[in-house]
Amino acid sequence: MSEPMREKLFVDCDPGHDDAIALAVAAHRGQLLGVTTVAGNVAVEQTTINALTVLQLLGSEVEVHSGAAVPLNGQPGQFASFVHGDNGLVGATMPELTRSVASDDAAGYLIEATGEHPGAWILAIGPMTNLALAVQRDPTLVDRIAGITMMGGGTYGNITAAAEFNISFDPEAADVVFRSGAKIVQCGLDLTHQLCVDDALVAASRATGTAFGEFCSGMLGGYLDNIRALTGSNTEAVLYDPCAALAVTDPELFDFAQRFVEVELTGALTRGMTLMDQRSWMSEGGPVQWAQTIDAVAATNLILDSIAAAP
Ligand code: RIB
Ligand code: CA
């Protein structure tokens, strides 16, 4: 197993099964410095409980700061509990929570903490409301981070035909982030659909014999079962968020291209779409580092390595 680059990471998330795995990857393959939570898959109160639970099981003492309950426009978003269950982690056996949240000012924490730890990445794996609020309050934030590595967007959608869930939940926030001047690494659906959880990973998690391995086995098994029930097929379930973590901890697993990307805000059918310019004379040299391919076998091995590294 290659040695990780140990990039410094703040994680903004909405756990969510794939967020939970991304936290394990960030903790094992990077230097996890802090976590902020946002409404997305489920309400922010629950995504916060889920983040605290995963960090407790990882044995991580990093602070968790809760954040936005609604998108920038103030209109409540549509949660994805039909995918992740009412508590956001269907299938997981939730332990008694002994950890508590440090504050409810995620944006303020990101502004302060990125100053204390210059050169860190922000791993954005939920709706980007917290990031947008932080950038609006302090635009210089983008100058002291290495960049934002995000799971979001793509050339097609999942929550609509055009829009991916994280962008669709808060398009205005995504637009603020894309226009912020930050270095952006984008793992869209074109990339993340190359990495899935299957029955083998569920079994391998259980075979680690650790408490976290058992937690992940139940959690990932519940995710798979729910996706299979939703689709009516014996399909696999996409591991979206770990891709954005691995893109900075283990970039050698990826092929990237520089692309121009904008967020659609007003389209009747396309609101929340990330429009990547594919015209031949515009398709190179853009500011966004667009992840095109991932070595899914190596990535799965690193994910299992991250699960096994936890107590
Ligand atoms: O579209 C997938 C994204 O939406 C992932 O981040 C998943 O956790 C959900 O938040
Ligand atoms: Ca997520």
Side-chain angles (χ1 to χ4, degrees), residues 230-252:
L230 279 172
T231 58
S233 68
N234 194 36
T235 184
E236 300 170 333
V238 179
L239 274 180
Y240 306 91
D241 294 341
C243 295
L246 291 167
V248 294
T249 63
D250 296 276
E252 70 280 2

Side-chain angles (χ1 to χ4, degrees), residues 180-237:
S180 67
K183 175 178 171 60
I184 289 176
V185 176
Q186 183 177 359
C187 292
L189 296 178
D190 311 73
L191 187 282
T192 61
H193 280 184
Q194 299 170 44
L195 183 65
C196 292
V197 52
D198 57 11
D199 296 310
L201 183 56
V202 174
S205 296
R206 177 171 292 115
T208 62
T210 63
F212 189 67
E214 183 60 32
F215 174 81
C216 287
S217 179
M219 177 185 71
L220 294 174
Y223 180 42
L224 254 178
D225 290 346
N226 202 43
I227 293 297
R228 287 169 172 168
L230 279 172
T231 58
S233 68
N234 194 36
T235 184
E236 300 170 333

Side-chain angles (χ1 to χ4, degrees), residues 29-297:
R29 301 294 294 179
Q31 288 182 60
L32 180 59
L33 299 176
V35 175
T36 50
T37 57
V38 67
N41 283 318
V42 290
V44 67
E45 294 79 7
Q46 189 62 50
T47 60
T48 302
I49 288 169
N50 294 344
L52 287 166
T53 299
V54 171
L55 291 168
Q56 178 178 306
L57 290 167
L58 283 170
S60 170
E61 295 298 326
V62 300
E63 291 182 354
V64 176
H65 296 257
S66 62
V70 295
L72 284 191
N73 66 11
Q75 303 302 313
Q78 293 297 313
F79 302 143
S81 44
F82 68 99
V83 173
H84 296 279
D86 291 341
N87 76 342
L89 291 176
V90 65
T93 301
M94 302 292 275
E96 182 184 347
L97 190 55
T98 59
R99 292 212 44 199
S100 55
V101 69
S103 87
D104 62 1
D105 183 13
Y109 168 72
L110 287 171
I111 291 168
E112 181 182 346
T114 52
E116 292 167 0
H117 300 279
W121 285 91
I122 295 177
L123 170 57
I125 50 178
M128 291 188 271
T129 317
N130 293 334
L131 272 62
L133 290 167
V135 166
Q136 289 175 331
R137 278 167 55 178
D138 178 3
T140 68
L141 180 151
V142 302
D143 300 324
R144 54 180 179 269
I145 61 174
I148 298 168
T149 178
M150 68 171 67
M151 189 282 129
T155 63
Y156 55 89
N158 57 4
I159 200 69
T160 72
E164 178 277 325
F165 178 79
N166 287 338
I167 309 297
S168 177
F169 193 94
D170 195 345
E172 282 69 26
D175 187 49
V176 167
V177 171
F178 272 92
R179 294 176 184 277
S180 67
K183 175 178 171 60
I184 289 176
V185 176
Q186 183 177 359
C187 292
L189 296 178
D190 311 73
L191 187 282
T192 61
H193 280 184
Q194 299 170 44
L195 183 65
C196 292
V197 52
D198 57 11
D199 296 310
L201 183 56
V202 174
S205 296
R206 177 171 292 115
T208 62
T210 63
F212 189 67
E214 183 60 32
F215 174 81
C216 287
S217 179
M219 177 185 71
L220 294 174
Y223 180 42
L224 254 178
D225 290 346
N226 202 43
I227 293 297
R228 287 169 172 168
L230 279 172
T231 58
S233 68
N234 194 36
T235 184
E236 300 170 333
V238 179
L239 274 180
Y240 306 91
D241 294 341
C243 295
L246 291 167
V248 294
T249 63
D250 296 276
E252 70 280 2
L253 301 186
F254 295 74
D255 170 47
F256 298 101
Q258 294 300 128
R259 290 286 189 268
F260 293 92
V261 180
E262 293 181 273
V263 180
E264 170 62 71
L265 300 178
T266 59
L269 300 176
T270 55
R271 173 170 160 78
M273 179 179 188
T274 60
L275 181 63
M276 188 260 278
D277 198 330
Q278 300 192 63
R279 292 172 293 172
S280 59
W281 61 91
M282 290 293 287
S283 63
E284 288 296 332
V288 173
Q289 189 173 331
W290 177 274
Q292 297 187 122
T293 65
I294 183 173
D295 178 341
V297 171

